[in-house]
Amino acid sequence: MLNEIIAIYAITDDLLTAMPAAGYAYGHEDDIRCEMSDAEIITTALIAAIFFSGNQSKACAYMKDHNLIVRMLEKSRFNRRLHRLSMLINDLFHQIAGLRQNRRVKKSIMLSQHSFHVERGS
């Protein structure tokens, strides 16, 4: 589970960094006053959905207990930050869907340009 959490954080942070944001030519930037980055908030919410049946309190406690996030926010502030990021999360999911769609298109183009023979082993 720990490796999956680290992978989710790395992907989320990379996508946010690469995502154009309002007011910036390239990449999302966190407010310098925030104790937790937006990638940490989103990762914790995803961890809650994947591993803790949507229980954000358990996910926050897990992330804090395992020192994955040193400065975990209190429940109320975490929820306010999560709701503030709702449009950003929506954009993030659209970006992921676009990446998956581009990958499918590239695969179909690649497959249509090359003929190959597949043999099954006995």
Side-chain angles (χ1 to χ4, degrees):
M1 180 158 82
L2 187 61
N3 290 335
E4 293 156 331
I5 292 171
I6 293 169
I8 290 169
Y9 173 77
I11 291 168
T12 303
D13 190 49
D14 287 347
L15 287 174
L16 286 176
T17 303
M19 177 188 292
Y24 301 103
Y26 184 74
H28 172 78
E29 291 186 17
D30 292 322
D31 189 331
I32 59 172
R33 298 170 292 174
C34 292
E35 293 180 19
M36 279 179 69
S37 69
D38 291 343
E40 290 171 332
I41 297 285
I42 294 169
T43 299
T44 305
L46 290 172
I47 298 310
I50 294 168
F51 298 113
F52 297 101
S53 302
N55 190 329
Q56 294 173 357
S57 295
K58 286 184 181 179
C60 289
Y62 180 86
M63 299 290 271
K64 185 176 182 178
D65 292 343
H66 288 83
N67 292 324
L68 296 172
I69 297 177
V70 180
R71 294 180 157 204
M72 179 57 72
L73 299 175
E74 296 296 322
K75 184 178 180 179
S76 176
R77 186 171 297 274
F78 177 83
N79 281 319
R80 279 186 268 148
R81 285 280 306 279
L82 185 59
H83 285 284
R84 191 181 86 202
L85 294 173
S86 64
M87 291 306 295
L88 181 63
I89 294 169
N90 187 32
D91 292 343
L92 185 66
F93 281 117
H94 283 290
Q95 185 180 9
I96 292 169
L99 291 173
R100 289 190 69 213
Q101 182 64 31
N102 287 341
R103 196 172 113 199
R104 284 188 194 136
V105 169
K106 287 178 185 177
K107 274 186 179 179
S108 66
I109 291 171
M110 218 176 357
L111 290 175
S112 66
Q113 290 176 350
H114 303 286
S115 62
F116 55 90
H117 180 68
V118 177
E119 293 183 21
R120 292 189 183 251
S122 320

